[in-house]
PDB file of all heavy atoms in Angstrom:
ATOM      1  N   ILE A   1       0.864  -1.184   0.000  1.00 98.00           N
ATOM      2  CA  ILE A   1       0.000   0.000   0.000  1.00 98.00           C
ATOM      3  C   ILE A   1       0.896   1.227   0.000  1.00 98.00           C
ATOM      4  O   ILE A   1       1.600   1.496   0.974  1.00 98.00           O
ATOM      5  CB  ILE A   1      -0.950  -0.002   1.210  1.00 98.00           C
ATOM      6  CG1 ILE A   1      -1.858  -1.238   1.154  1.00 98.00           C
ATOM      7  CG2 ILE A   1      -1.781   1.274   1.244  1.00 98.00           C
ATOM      8  CD1 ILE A   1      -2.826  -1.357   2.321  1.00 98.00           C
ATOM      9  N   GLU A   2       0.851   1.982  -1.081  1.00 96.00           N
ATOM     10  CA  GLU A   2       1.850   3.030  -1.278  1.00 96.00           C
ATOM     11  C   GLU A   2       1.483   4.385  -0.688  1.00 96.00           C
ATOM     12  O   GLU A   2       2.354   5.241  -0.509  1.00 96.00           O
ATOM     13  CB  GLU A   2       2.146   3.200  -2.768  1.00 96.00           C
ATOM     14  CG  GLU A   2       0.929   3.476  -3.631  1.00 96.00           C
ATOM     15  CD  GLU A   2       1.226   3.293  -5.106  1.00 96.00           C
ATOM     16  OE1 GLU A   2       1.984   4.110  -5.653  1.00 96.00           O
ATOM     17  OE2 GLU A   2       0.717   2.333  -5.695  1.00 96.00           O
ATOM     18  N   VAL A   3       0.215   4.613  -0.394  1.00 97.00           N
ATOM     19  CA  VAL A   3      -0.220   5.892   0.170  1.00 97.00           C
ATOM     20  C   VAL A   3      -1.011   5.623   1.437  1.00 97.00           C
ATOM     21  O   VAL A   3      -1.891   4.760   1.461  1.00 97.00           O
ATOM     22  CB  VAL A   3      -1.085   6.682  -0.836  1.00 97.00           C
ATOM     23  CG1 VAL A   3      -1.665   7.932  -0.183  1.00 97.00           C
ATOM     24  CG2 VAL A   3      -0.277   7.056  -2.071  1.00 97.00           C
ATOM     25  N   ALA A   4      -0.708   6.349   2.510  1.00 97.00           N
ATOM     26  CA  ALA A   4      -1.430   6.200   3.769  1.00 97.00           C
ATOM     27  C   ALA A   4      -1.725   7.585   4.323  1.00 97.00           C
ATOM     28  O   ALA A   4      -0.806   8.359   4.600  1.00 97.00           O
ATOM     29  CB  ALA A   4      -0.618   5.390   4.777  1.00 97.00           C
ATOM     30  N   VAL A   5      -3.009   7.898   4.467  1.00 97.00           N
ATOM     31  CA  VAL A   5      -3.434   9.218   4.916  1.00 97.00           C
ATOM     32  C   VAL A   5      -4.236   9.079   6.205  1.00 97.00           C
ATOM     33  O   VAL A   5      -5.268   8.409   6.235  1.00 97.00           O
ATOM     34  CB  VAL A   5      -4.304   9.916   3.849  1.00 97.00           C
ATOM     35  CG1 VAL A   5      -4.734  11.294   4.337  1.00 97.00           C
ATOM     36  CG2 VAL A   5      -3.572  10.018   2.519  1.00 97.00           C
ATOM     37  N   GLY A   6      -3.749   9.700   7.270  1.00 94.00           N
ATOM     38  CA  GLY A   6      -4.473   9.720   8.526  1.00 94.00           C
ATOM     39  C   GLY A   6      -4.908  11.120   8.877  1.00 94.00           C
ATOM     40  O   GLY A   6      -4.778  12.049   8.075  1.00 94.00           O
ATOM     41  N   GLU A   7      -5.443  11.280  10.094  1.00 90.00           N
ATOM     42  CA  GLU A   7      -5.894  12.598  10.531  1.00 90.00           C
ATOM     43  C   GLU A   7      -4.704  13.538  10.629  1.00 90.00           C
ATOM     44  O   GLU A   7      -3.698  13.237  11.263  1.00 90.00           O
ATOM     45  CB  GLU A   7      -6.601  12.488  11.888  1.00 90.00           C
ATOM     46  CG  GLU A   7      -7.159  13.809  12.360  1.00 90.00           C
ATOM     47  CD  GLU A   7      -7.911  13.704  13.676  1.00 90.00           C
ATOM     48  OE1 GLU A   7      -7.845  12.630  14.316  1.00 90.00           O
ATOM     49  OE2 GLU A   7      -8.549  14.694  14.054  1.00 90.00           O
ATOM     50  N   ARG A   8      -4.826  14.685   9.992  1.00 88.00           N
ATOM     51  CA  ARG A   8      -3.737  15.662   9.977  1.00 88.00           C
ATOM     52  C   ARG A   8      -4.328  17.062   9.832  1.00 88.00           C
ATOM     53  O   ARG A   8      -5.460  17.235   9.397  1.00 88.00           O
ATOM     54  CB  ARG A   8      -2.777  15.377   8.820  1.00 88.00           C
ATOM     55  CG  ARG A   8      -3.453  15.442   7.452  1.00 88.00           C
ATOM     56  CD  ARG A   8      -2.492  15.284   6.293  1.00 88.00           C
ATOM     57  NE  ARG A   8      -2.064  13.896   6.101  1.00 88.00           N
ATOM     58  CZ  ARG A   8      -1.362  13.500   5.040  1.00 88.00           C
ATOM     59  NH1 ARG A   8      -1.024  14.362   4.096  1.00 88.00           N
ATOM     60  NH2 ARG A   8      -1.019  12.224   4.919  1.00 88.00           N
ATOM     61  N   GLU A   9      -3.542  18.061  10.166  1.00 86.00           N
ATOM     62  CA  GLU A   9      -4.004  19.441  10.039  1.00 86.00           C
ATOM     63  C   GLU A   9      -4.230  19.784   8.574  1.00 86.00           C
ATOM     64  O   GLU A   9      -3.481  19.351   7.698  1.00 86.00           O
ATOM     65  CB  GLU A   9      -2.973  20.408  10.641  1.00 86.00           C
ATOM     66  CG  GLU A   9      -3.017  20.483  12.158  1.00 86.00           C
ATOM     67  CD  GLU A   9      -2.190  21.642  12.690  1.00 86.00           C
ATOM     68  OE1 GLU A   9      -2.132  22.691  12.022  1.00 86.00           O
ATOM     69  OE2 GLU A   9      -1.600  21.476  13.760  1.00 86.00           O
ATOM     70  N   GLY A  10      -5.269  20.581   8.316  1.00 87.00           N
ATOM     71  CA  GLY A  10      -5.543  21.044   6.963  1.00 87.00           C
ATOM     72  C   GLY A  10      -6.277  20.046   6.105  1.00 87.00           C
ATOM     73  O   GLY A  10      -6.479  20.284   4.911  1.00 87.00           O
ATOM     74  N   CYS A  11      -6.688  18.913   6.693  1.00 90.00           N
ATOM     75  CA  CYS A  11      -7.404  17.883   5.933  1.00 90.00           C
ATOM     76  C   CYS A  11      -8.555  17.399   6.805  1.00 90.00           C
ATOM     77  O   CYS A  11      -8.337  16.764   7.842  1.00 90.00           O
ATOM     78  CB  CYS A  11      -6.467  16.728   5.584  1.00 90.00           C
ATOM     79  SG  CYS A  11      -7.172  15.488   4.483  1.00 90.00           S
ATOM     80  N   ARG A  12      -9.771  17.735   6.406  1.00 93.00           N
ATOM     81  CA  ARG A  12     -10.931  17.366   7.221  1.00 93.00           C
ATOM     82  C   ARG A  12     -11.082  15.847   7.310  1.00 93.00           C
ATOM     83  O   ARG A  12     -10.816  15.131   6.366  1.00 93.00           O
ATOM     84  CB  ARG A  12     -12.203  17.977   6.630  1.00 93.00           C
ATOM     85  CG  ARG A  12     -12.258  19.494   6.700  1.00 93.00           C
ATOM     86  CD  ARG A  12     -13.498  20.024   5.997  1.00 93.00           C
ATOM     87  NE  ARG A  12     -13.499  19.676   4.578  1.00 93.00           N
ATOM     88  CZ  ARG A  12     -14.511  19.903   3.753  1.00 93.00           C
ATOM     89  NH1 ARG A  12     -15.618  20.466   4.211  1.00 93.00           N
ATOM     90  NH2 ARG A  12     -14.432  19.555   2.477  1.00 93.00           N
ATOM     91  N   ARG A  13     -11.529  15.393   8.481  1.00 92.00           N
ATOM     92  CA  ARG A  13     -11.732  13.964   8.710  1.00 92.00           C
ATOM     93  C   ARG A  13     -12.880  13.438   7.874  1.00 92.00           C
ATOM     94  O   ARG A  13     -13.791  14.164   7.497  1.00 92.00           O
ATOM     95  CB  ARG A  13     -12.037  13.682  10.197  1.00 92.00           C
ATOM     96  CG  ARG A  13     -10.881  13.862  11.138  1.00 92.00           C
ATOM     97  CD  ARG A  13     -11.190  13.184  12.470  1.00 92.00           C
ATOM     98  NE  ARG A  13     -12.485  13.594  12.992  1.00 92.00           N
ATOM     99  CZ  ARG A  13     -12.670  14.619  13.805  1.00 92.00           C
ATOM    100  NH1 ARG A  13     -11.644  15.351  14.180  1.00 92.00           N
ATOM    101  NH2 ARG A  13     -13.878  14.908  14.251  1.00 92.00           N
ATOM    102  N   LYS A  14     -12.831  12.128   7.589  1.00 95.00           N
ATOM    103  CA  LYS A  14     -13.999  11.458   7.037  1.00 95.00           C
ATOM    104  C   LYS A  14     -15.191  11.687   7.976  1.00 95.00           C
ATOM    105  O   LYS A  14     -14.987  11.738   9.190  1.00 95.00           O
ATOM    106  CB  LYS A  14     -13.743   9.952   6.913  1.00 95.00           C
ATOM    107  CG  LYS A  14     -12.601   9.565   6.004  1.00 95.00           C
ATOM    108  CD  LYS A  14     -12.455   8.052   5.891  1.00 95.00           C
ATOM    109  CE  LYS A  14     -12.224   7.346   7.208  1.00 95.00           C
ATOM    110  NZ  LYS A  14     -12.030   5.884   7.079  1.00 95.00           N
ATOM    111  N   PRO A  15     -16.395  11.869   7.459  1.00 96.00           N
ATOM    112  CA  PRO A  15     -16.835  11.548   6.095  1.00 96.00           C
ATOM    113  C   PRO A  15     -16.648  12.641   5.055  1.00 96.00           C
ATOM    114  O   PRO A  15     -17.165  12.507   3.950  1.00 96.00           O
ATOM    115  CB  PRO A  15     -18.318  11.257   6.303  1.00 96.00           C
ATOM    116  CG  PRO A  15     -18.726  12.183   7.396  1.00 96.00           C
ATOM    117  CD  PRO A  15     -17.549  12.190   8.342  1.00 96.00           C
ATOM    118  N   GLU A  16     -15.945  13.730   5.421  1.00 97.00           N
ATOM    119  CA  GLU A  16     -15.619  14.716   4.385  1.00 97.00           C
ATOM    120  C   GLU A  16     -14.705  14.046   3.361  1.00 97.00           C
ATOM    121  O   GLU A  16     -13.946  13.129   3.687  1.00 97.00           O
ATOM    122  CB  GLU A  16     -14.949  15.937   5.001  1.00 97.00           C
ATOM    123  CG  GLU A  16     -15.809  16.674   6.014  1.00 97.00           C
ATOM    124  CD  GLU A  16     -17.094  17.205   5.413  1.00 97.00           C
ATOM    125  OE1 GLU A  16     -17.127  17.467   4.190  1.00 97.00           O
ATOM    126  OE2 GLU A  16     -18.083  17.353   6.166  1.00 97.00           O
ATOM    127  N   PRO A  17     -14.716  14.500   2.117  1.00 97.00           N
ATOM    128  CA  PRO A  17     -13.985  13.805   1.051  1.00 97.00           C
ATOM    129  C   PRO A  17     -12.501  14.123   0.965  1.00 97.00           C
ATOM    130  O   PRO A  17     -11.790  13.494   0.171  1.00 97.00           O
ATOM    131  CB  PRO A  17     -14.695  14.283  -0.214  1.00 97.00           C
ATOM    132  CG  PRO A  17     -15.171  15.660   0.132  1.00 97.00           C
ATOM    133  CD  PRO A  17     -15.567  15.591   1.582  1.00 97.00           C
ATOM    134  N   ASP A  18     -12.009  15.049   1.784  1.00 97.00           N
ATOM    135  CA  ASP A  18     -10.650  15.574   1.603  1.00 97.00           C
ATOM    136  C   ASP A  18      -9.577  14.492   1.512  1.00 97.00           C
ATOM    137  O   ASP A  18      -8.733  14.508   0.613  1.00 97.00           O
ATOM    138  CB  ASP A  18     -10.300  16.506   2.771  1.00 97.00           C
ATOM    139  CG  ASP A  18     -11.248  17.672   2.912  1.00 97.00           C
ATOM    140  OD1 ASP A  18     -12.450  17.498   2.627  1.00 97.00           O
ATOM    141  OD2 ASP A  18     -10.807  18.751   3.324  1.00 97.00           O
ATOM    142  N   SER A  19      -9.593  13.552   2.468  1.00 97.00           N
ATOM    143  CA  SER A  19      -8.512  12.562   2.521  1.00 97.00           C
ATOM    144  C   SER A  19      -8.587  11.573   1.359  1.00 97.00           C
ATOM    145  O   SER A  19      -7.557  11.127   0.852  1.00 97.00           O
ATOM    146  CB  SER A  19      -8.530  11.819   3.858  1.00 97.00           C
ATOM    147  OG  SER A  19      -9.827  11.333   4.154  1.00 97.00           O
ATOM    148  N   VAL A  20      -9.792  11.241   0.908  1.00 97.00           N
ATOM    149  CA  VAL A  20      -9.946  10.371  -0.255  1.00 97.00           C
ATOM    150  C   VAL A  20      -9.397  11.064  -1.501  1.00 97.00           C
ATOM    151  O   VAL A  20      -8.648  10.470  -2.299  1.00 97.00           O
ATOM    152  CB  VAL A  20     -11.423   9.980  -0.462  1.00 97.00           C
ATOM    153  CG1 VAL A  20     -11.615   9.299  -1.816  1.00 97.00           C
ATOM    154  CG2 VAL A  20     -11.881   9.058   0.656  1.00 97.00           C
ATOM    155  N   LEU A  21      -9.757  12.318  -1.668  1.00 97.00           N
ATOM    156  CA  LEU A  21      -9.296  13.063  -2.842  1.00 97.00           C
ATOM    157  C   LEU A  21      -7.780  13.256  -2.807  1.00 97.00           C
ATOM    158  O   LEU A  21      -7.111  13.194  -3.853  1.00 97.00           O
ATOM    159  CB  LEU A  21     -10.009  14.415  -2.919  1.00 97.00           C
ATOM    160  CG  LEU A  21     -11.535  14.339  -3.056  1.00 97.00           C
ATOM    161  CD1 LEU A  21     -12.144  15.734  -3.090  1.00 97.00           C
ATOM    162  CD2 LEU A  21     -11.944  13.548  -4.291  1.00 97.00           C
ATOM    163  N   LEU A  22      -7.232  13.472  -1.617  1.00 96.00           N
ATOM    164  CA  LEU A  22      -5.780  13.602  -1.481  1.00 96.00           C
ATOM    165  C   LEU A  22      -5.091  12.303  -1.870  1.00 96.00           C
ATOM    166  O   LEU A  22      -4.082  12.309  -2.594  1.00 96.00           O
ATOM    167  CB  LEU A  22      -5.426  13.974  -0.044  1.00 96.00           C
ATOM    168  CG  LEU A  22      -3.933  14.064   0.289  1.00 96.00           C
ATOM    169  CD1 LEU A  22      -3.259  15.130  -0.560  1.00 96.00           C
ATOM    170  CD2 LEU A  22      -3.742  14.373   1.775  1.00 96.00           C
ATOM    171  N   ALA A  23      -5.628  11.167  -1.410  1.00 97.00           N
ATOM    172  CA  ALA A  23      -5.033   9.870  -1.742  1.00 97.00           C
ATOM    173  C   ALA A  23      -5.062   9.621  -3.246  1.00 97.00           C
ATOM    174  O   ALA A  23      -4.076   9.166  -3.837  1.00 97.00           O
ATOM    175  CB  ALA A  23      -5.753   8.755  -1.000  1.00 97.00           C
ATOM    176  N   LEU A  24      -6.189   9.928  -3.883  1.00 97.00           N
ATOM    177  CA  LEU A  24      -6.294   9.717  -5.331  1.00 97.00           C
ATOM    178  C   LEU A  24      -5.355  10.631  -6.098  1.00 97.00           C
ATOM    179  O   LEU A  24      -4.800  10.241  -7.126  1.00 97.00           O
ATOM    180  CB  LEU A  24      -7.741   9.937  -5.783  1.00 97.00           C
ATOM    181  CG  LEU A  24      -8.735   8.848  -5.368  1.00 97.00           C
ATOM    182  CD1 LEU A  24     -10.150   9.251  -5.732  1.00 97.00           C
ATOM    183  CD2 LEU A  24      -8.376   7.518  -6.030  1.00 97.00           C
ATOM    184  N   GLU A  25      -5.170  11.839  -5.578  1.00 97.00           N
ATOM    185  CA  GLU A  25      -4.217  12.756  -6.220  1.00 97.00           C
ATOM    186  C   GLU A  25      -2.802  12.192  -6.148  1.00 97.00           C
ATOM    187  O   GLU A  25      -2.052  12.228  -7.128  1.00 97.00           O
ATOM    188  CB  GLU A  25      -4.279  14.117  -5.533  1.00 97.00           C
ATOM    189  CG  GLU A  25      -3.363  15.168  -6.152  1.00 97.00           C
ATOM    190  CD  GLU A  25      -3.463  16.512  -5.455  1.00 97.00           C
ATOM    191  OE1 GLU A  25      -4.387  16.711  -4.641  1.00 97.00           O
ATOM    192  OE2 GLU A  25      -2.597  17.364  -5.726  1.00 97.00           O
ATOM    193  N   GLU A  26      -2.451  11.629  -4.986  1.00 96.00           N
ATOM    194  CA  GLU A  26      -1.110  11.051  -4.842  1.00 96.00           C
ATOM    195  C   GLU A  26      -0.948   9.810  -5.722  1.00 96.00           C
ATOM    196  O   GLU A  26       0.138   9.532  -6.236  1.00 96.00           O
ATOM    197  CB  GLU A  26      -0.840  10.701  -3.379  1.00 96.00           C
ATOM    198  CG  GLU A  26      -0.699  11.924  -2.475  1.00 96.00           C
ATOM    199  CD  GLU A  26      -0.183  11.570  -1.094  1.00 96.00           C
ATOM    200  OE1 GLU A  26       0.661  10.662  -0.983  1.00 96.00           O
ATOM    201  OE2 GLU A  26      -0.625  12.210  -0.115  1.00 96.00           O
ATOM    202  N   LEU A  27      -2.032   9.056  -5.902  1.00 97.00           N
ATOM    203  CA  LEU A  27      -1.984   7.870  -6.757  1.00 97.00           C
ATOM    204  C   LEU A  27      -2.097   8.219  -8.234  1.00 97.00           C
ATOM    205  O   LEU A  27      -1.797   7.387  -9.091  1.00 97.00           O
ATOM    206  CB  LEU A  27      -3.126   6.909  -6.387  1.00 97.00           C
ATOM    207  CG  LEU A  27      -3.063   6.238  -5.016  1.00 97.00           C
ATOM    208  CD1 LEU A  27      -4.349   5.456  -4.764  1.00 97.00           C
ATOM    209  CD2 LEU A  27      -1.846   5.332  -4.893  1.00 97.00           C
ATOM    210  N   ASN A  28      -2.581   9.442  -8.515  1.00 96.00           N
ATOM    211  CA  ASN A  28      -2.819   9.883  -9.892  1.00 96.00           C
ATOM    212  C   ASN A  28      -3.849   8.994 -10.593  1.00 96.00           C
ATOM    213  O   ASN A  28      -3.658   8.550 -11.724  1.00 96.00           O
ATOM    214  CB  ASN A  28      -1.514   9.932 -10.692  1.00 96.00           C
ATOM    215  CG  ASN A  28      -1.657  10.705 -11.997  1.00 96.00           C
ATOM    216  OD1 ASN A  28      -2.480  11.624 -12.101  1.00 96.00           O
ATOM    217  ND2 ASN A  28      -0.881  10.333 -12.999  1.00 96.00           N
TER     218      ASN A  28
END
């Protein structure tokens, strides 16, 4: 698993979409 996104500043927690969209951006 090449990308791992947890709770962090500037990225709203699930169920907001921020972390999913960030992961997809990193995966391209």
Side-chain angles (χ1 to χ4, degrees):
I1 299 179
E2 55 194 291
V3 173
V5 180
E7 183 178 10
R8 60 175 76 171
E9 281 192 34
C11 187
R12 293 176 298 174
R13 289 196 309 269
K14 299 182 302 182
E16 299 299 333
D18 301 34
S19 50
V20 169
L21 299 179
L22 176 61
L24 288 174
E25 182 179 348
E26 291 191 36
L27 293 173
N28 194 29

